Amino acid sequence: MAMTGKRRVLYRQGSGFWRMTARWALAFGALSLLDGGLLRSWGDAVVWPMIGVLLWVPFGIGVVWYPKKDQRVELTARELRVRRKRLPMEKVNLLHVARLWLEGRATADDQPVGEWARFDRVVWVPLRDGRAFGVEFRDPAAFAKVFGAFAVAACGGPDVVRARAAAETYPDPRPMRARPGEDAGSWLDVLDVFN
């Protein structure tokens, strides 16, 4: 069997670095055009892009982007990748994901997936051993739609999922809690499932 080296990506979410950079450049570019075109001379307007570059590193990267750098997620048929960490699909309880998707529910709460607003939200991915780990998404409903449809297809369809869910028993996934210690609540605590 020949390997092509290509894998089919079902869902991808970037870290938002280039989107943040484009917004930063647009804001200071607009200030420059406003200052040079309407208020003062173009020579005075050149200072705004320089201010933008000087403020971009500490505030744009440090304050706006750095806390969200862990939001880079990629879902394929074989694995879920968060940054550089990989979770094989063999560890994920796809039957639970498919059952929840058919019922329109989430693991952590009973709010219907269709009512999820488009803002940063943690989606809990259930594992076969009864744990669930959280992954933060900017558009959680879009990820849930793709992941739920994939889980239903991987389990054999809606009828098979309902029959297997009625027959099989598995532990109800519990969200993983941060380990007590010096860095409570860090991404290392959540990503220890990958090891």
Side-chain angles (χ1 to χ4, degrees), residues 70 72-75 78-92 123 125 127 129 131-137 143 176 179 186-195:
D70 291 328
R72 192 173 77 204
V73 178
E74 190 174 276
L75 173 68
R78 297 176 132 196
E79 65 189 9
L80 175 67
R81 296 180 75 185
V82 179
R83 280 190 82 197
R84 294 184 182 138
K85 305 289 185 178
R86 297 176 180 197
L87 176 65
M89 282 299 143
E90 293 82 31
K91 289 186 176 182
V92 177
V123 175
V125 178
L127 303 176
D129 62 2
R131 296 182 299 167
F133 72 95
V135 182
E136 194 171 354
F137 291 95
F143 172 76
M176 292 170 38
R179 291 178 288 217
S186 75
W187 265 93
L188 296 176
D189 298 328
V190 174
L191 296 180
D192 66 353
V193 72
F194 292 98
N195 295 331

Side-chain angles (χ1 to χ4, degrees), residues 28-29 31-33 35-36 40-55:
F28 280 96
L31 278 174
S32 177
L33 288 175
D35 189 20
R40 299 187 294 174
S41 70
W42 288 106
D44 295 330
V46 173
V47 83
W48 286 111
M50 293 185 335
I51 291 172
V53 169
L54 290 175
L55 293 178

Side-chain angles (χ1 to χ4, degrees), residues 108-123:
D109 57 18
D110 288 328
Q111 182 183 13
V113 175
E115 295 178 5
W116 286 356
R118 186 180 172 136
F119 65 90
D120 291 356
R121 178 189 172 112
V122 173
V123 175

Side-chain angles (χ1 to χ4, degrees), residues 93 96 99 126-131 168-174:
N93 189 347
H96 188 70
R99 184 176 64 90
L127 303 176
R128 290 188 185 270
D129 62 2
R131 296 182 299 167
E168 291 184 26
T169 59
Y170 51 83
D172 200 27
R174 299 276 179 219

